[in-house]
Amino acid sequence: MIKLITLIAATILLLLIFVIIFIFALVRKTKRFFILAVVFFLLAFSTGFYTLYFGLQKGKEKTGQVARNAFEKVFPTFNSDRPDTEANKKNFRNFIKVDITPDVKNIYCFDDAIGQDADYMFSFSCNPETAEKIIERHRLVKDSLRGNNQDGLQDDFFWWDKKKINELESYSWDSNHEGKNFHKIFWYDHEHQKAYYFEYDL
């Protein structure tokens, strides 16, 4: 922004000098002033052209950033092949809704939001205290039976062990809102301090 203002000021200054010298050239009718006026005109023209180009580029960058931000809000990036990316951390905060404390690591996530229904999968390491915070934050209730896992709706990843998940105690939350059924399921492996979170709607 400062550079653009400086370029605009320089263009105006060069144009002003050109006008003054050109007036002198008309009054004095000397070839030297006419040549000097032409030089300052060319300087003002080139500076003005660069200012216009620079301004358009900045505007294009700003517009592109706004478009990317808007797209990211509607279709956020989920990195299912790499842990702890900025996108995964952002999704963790948006979905899991607890702070990423030092014990929270190896955050993997995946989404399948194409079509009418959507589901979201998260796997990460954390201590039991963080697991309790997640349970409280989402008002999850302990299920009476193990194996509460809608694994038919889930994709297969090395970080999402369906067999292991089916052996863990689950905590869930269900809601019906405007004809849509929302579900959240959370599992915590105390032995390996690993958490699994699955959210979906039907």
Side-chain angles (χ1 to χ4, degrees), residues 144-159:
S144 57
L145 297 173
R146 294 180 185 237
N148 180 27
N149 183 15
Q150 299 292 333
D151 54 11
L153 300 175
Q154 301 160 7
D155 286 68
D156 295 301
F157 296 100
F158 69 90
W159 46 266

Side-chain angles (χ1 to χ4, degrees), residues 32-195:
R32 191 189 328 173
F33 278 113
F34 275 114
I35 293 173
L36 201 56
V38 170
V39 169
F40 273 95
F41 174 78
L42 291 174
L43 284 172
F45 178 80
S46 59
T47 305
F49 182 80
Y50 179 73
T51 302
L52 180 63
Y53 170 79
F54 183 79
L56 289 173
Q57 285 297 108
K58 283 295 177 184
K60 185 179 178 182
E61 289 175 11
K62 187 69 176 177
T63 303
Q65 187 61 47
V66 170
R68 283 192 294 272
N69 291 342
F71 185 84
E72 184 64 25
K73 286 183 179 180
V74 179
F75 304 104
T77 301
F78 288 76
N79 297 130
S80 60
D81 58 336
R82 288 172 292 138
D84 301 326
T85 63
E86 287 304 313
N88 286 3
K89 289 178 181 179
K90 182 179 179 181
N91 290 323
F92 182 95
R93 295 185 186 97
N94 289 339
F95 283 85
I96 310 301
K97 301 184 186 301
V98 297
D99 293 332
I100 299 179
T101 47
D103 61 297
V104 178
K105 299 173 183 175
N106 297 316
I107 303 171
Y108 286 94
C109 60
F110 172 79
D111 78 313
D112 183 1
I114 299 174
Q116 187 176 358
D117 306 322
D119 61 78
Y120 307 90
M121 300 163 57
F122 286 83
S123 171
F124 51 92
S125 300
C126 69
N127 61 32
E129 290 76 16
T130 298
E132 283 299 322
K133 288 179 183 177
I134 294 169
I135 292 169
E136 292 175 11
R137 179 69 179 83
H138 292 272
R139 295 175 294 168
L140 302 171
V141 178
K142 186 176 180 180
D143 294 308
S144 57
L145 297 173
R146 294 180 185 237
N148 180 27
N149 183 15
Q150 299 292 333
D151 54 11
L153 300 175
Q154 301 160 7
D155 286 68
D156 295 301
F157 296 100
F158 69 90
W159 46 266
W160 190 268
D161 189 344
K162 293 180 183 179
K163 183 177 179 181
K164 179 65 178 178
I165 290 172
N166 283 328
E167 297 172 355
L168 300 173
E169 291 181 335
S170 60
Y171 297 79
S172 63
W173 175 91
D174 303 283
S175 175
N176 186 292
H177 179 67
E178 296 181 353
K180 292 285 283 185
N181 294 309
F182 294 92
H183 307 274
K184 300 177 183 180
I185 311 176
F186 178 75
W187 302 265
Y188 186 68
D189 182 352
H190 285 270
E191 182 182 355
H192 301 97
Q193 294 197 348
K194 190 173 181 64

